Amino acid sequence: MALIVQKYGGTSIAGPERIKKVARRIIETKKRGNKVVIVVSAPGDTTDKLTETARQITPSPTDREMDMLLATGEQMSIALLAMAIHALGEEAVSLTGGQGGIVTDETFSNAKIRKIDTKKIEKELSKDRIVIVAGFQGITAKKDITTLGRGGSDLTAVALASVLKADQCEVYTDVAGVYTADPRIVPDARKIDRISYDEMLELASLGAQVMVPRSIQVANRFGVDIHVRSSFNDEEGTVITKEVSKMEGVVVSGVAYDKDLVKVAITDVPDRPGIAAKIFGALGAGKVNVDMIIQSSAQGGVNDISFTVNRGDLNKVLDIMGKVKQEIGAKGLVYDEGVAKVSIVGVGMKTHSGVASKMFSALAEEDVNIEMISTSEIKISCVIKEKDTEKAVRAIHRKFALAKTPRKGRK
Ligand code: ASP
Ligand code: MG
């Protein structure tokens, strides 16, 4: 008898009809002779709405009460789903994160799972019940309710699959899987059958929003294969797994883009040791995540340093850099919000040459100017003008023939 963990996202259980549909799918899974543990998110945009309501009461609610509030979204889902399963004549029991044994640290709103005591879940499973656990939440050793950070239900599912040694971890969502590019931009983007954790992490942090990066890191660490698939049909989705040799035929797995960034440049910076440490030390102390960095070669004893940050951090960055600029005696501070980043990701890049030049010529042929470049073992990113994003993504997707070339060894 296999143990299957299934996670259903907010859109899959938005409204009674969808909840009933999910209930039927769960029962089918059980009737195929499996034990099932279900993890659910809050329905639809409940978490956003609850946050908004809190803000209408006070601009600065305490983190503890905020977690108490947000955890109710998932609690609604587990109860309604259990009722739907009962109505179809099957046994099911709903558990909050705390009841499910999920113990976290005390970082409200972004808690880390410390341990999971699976006794209660296992006891319920042994009574032949479907166990439904609230995602995104846990409880501290002092019995305070915590949440795991936005999108945290995925993490709950992966963590439970790991400690329960589940045979499968399925994440049901409103997309059919992971694509070679955003299908809204590239209509012939192809669904990827299997992708490695590393590639998925790059794609996730590059803006392909399928699962939160933290859940993939945890899956990687504990070797949990995740099958991401649609709750609206029975098609196979994408399996996120460790690197397998079958994947080696593919050089580039996907194209991602990110418009949520701004380019900041500090100009006429004195060219001497310690300057970069000052600039990026100050940004680090301000908890600003810096992505790409470029330093021009020095001329006349000065150079320019440009970097990209998330758009939401811009004001903070301008504040910090205003001060640093004075300290180091730089002349200018400029920024450009009209930029975007396009990236290609693929484990095959480790062993193939000419990948970067192919990407650059795809951009050149479309007359897209490259403002910054960065590379890692399995990724190449270019900063371009935001208005060119769609055309750039399409051109790169075409250049690497991602629509047509299926991975070697695919079913
Ligand atoms: N309901 C939470 C959120 O919206 C957790 C999740 O959906 O995974 O972030
Ligand atoms: Mg979600």
Side-chain angles (χ1 to χ4, degrees), residues 18-326:
R18 289 191 182 171
I19 293 177
K20 288 184 203 170
K21 195 161 169 243
V22 165
R24 284 194 289 273
R25 186 191 283 268
I26 294 169
I27 292 172
E28 277 166 32
T29 310
K30 169 134 193 296
K31 290 215 162 125
R32 283 197 294 269
N34 301 301
K35 291 185 180 190
V36 269
V37 174
I38 304 299
V39 174
V40 276
S41 299
D45 56 1
T46 308
T47 312
D48 290 333
K49 289 229 176 84
L50 289 170
T51 308
E52 183 47 38
T53 307
R55 301 275 174 236
Q56 285 168 6
I57 288 173
T58 165
S60 49
T62 64
D63 289 344
R64 182 186 184 278
E65 299 312 327
M66 210 49 207
D67 277 12
M68 187 66 98
L69 177 68
L70 294 189
T72 62
E74 272 69 13
Q75 207 170 320
M76 249 158 55
S77 301
I78 54 171
L80 292 171
L81 186 54
M83 291 175 197
I85 294 174
H86 294 163
L88 293 167
E90 277 290 324
E91 288 225 34
V93 59
S94 65
L95 302 176
T96 64
Q99 289 175 320
I102 299 174
V103 179
T104 72
D105 66 10
E106 283 162 26
T107 320
F108 292 108
S109 87
N110 198 21
K112 305 268 176 300
I113 298 175
R114 283 278 168 260
K115 64 167 194 225
I116 302 181
D117 176 355
T118 56
K119 269 200 291 306
K120 188 163 173 70
I121 293 180
E122 271 163 315
K123 192 158 165 214
E124 297 292 352
L125 284 174
S126 72
K127 292 183 198 156
D128 207 28
R129 290 182 176 151
I130 294 163
V131 179
I132 307 168
V133 184
F136 171 61
Q137 56 173 263
I139 198 162
T140 67
K142 293 183 192 149
K143 303 280 182 254
D144 287 312
I145 291 176
T146 51
T147 66
L148 308 177
R150 295 304 305 266
S153 305
D154 291 342
L155 192 63
T156 306
V158 170
L160 283 176
S162 168
V163 290
L164 293 167
K165 302 198 171 42
D167 299 281
Q168 283 175 47
C169 179
E170 298 180 322
V171 171
Y172 286 90
T173 171
D174 53 356
V175 296
V178 181
Y179 281 82
T180 50
D182 183 344
R184 288 169 302 182
I185 293 186
V186 185
D188 63 352
R190 184 174 41 83
K191 191 169 69 195
I192 301 171
D193 287 345
R194 292 170 77 78
I195 192 164
S196 69
Y197 298 117
D198 288 341
E199 288 173 306
M200 193 58 227
L201 263 178
E202 291 289 2
L203 288 172
S205 58
L206 293 172
Q209 280 158 6
V210 184
M211 284 184 74
V212 288
R214 225 170 108 207
S215 55
I216 297 160
Q217 283 162 347
V218 172
N220 189 4
R221 181 151 5 112
F222 297 102
V224 177
D225 285 4
I226 305 168
H227 185 175
V228 181
R229 57 194 302 186
S230 167
S231 62
F232 302 128
N233 58 50
D234 288 325
E235 277 170 41
E236 300 267 306
T238 302
V239 175
I240 310 170
T241 183
K242 67 177 180 305
E243 211 171 299
V244 292
S245 56
K246 274 183 195 162
M247 291 178 176
E248 281 172 7
V250 186
V251 180
V252 171
S253 294
V255 187
Y257 67 93
D258 181 3
K259 294 182 173 183
D260 180 32
L261 78 165
V262 28
K263 187 171 99 171
V264 180
I266 174 154
T267 61
D268 292 319
V269 180
D271 184 33
R272 56 180 152 77
I275 295 290
K278 256 225 170 81
I279 294 176
F280 297 105
L283 292 172
K287 295 217 170 7
V288 176
N289 243 326
V290 177
D291 185 18
M292 287 193 209
I293 301 174
I294 286 193
Q295 176 177 320
S296 67
S297 63
Q299 272 181 345
V302 293
N303 58 31
D304 297 341
I305 295 180
S306 318
F307 54 89
T308 61
V309 293
N310 287 337
R311 246 168 234 192
D313 284 336
L314 180 61
N315 287 335
K316 193 154 71 169
V317 169
L318 293 179
D319 258 10
I320 297 174
M321 291 325 293
K323 289 181 202 121
V324 175
K325 189 182 109 183
Q326 305 266 291

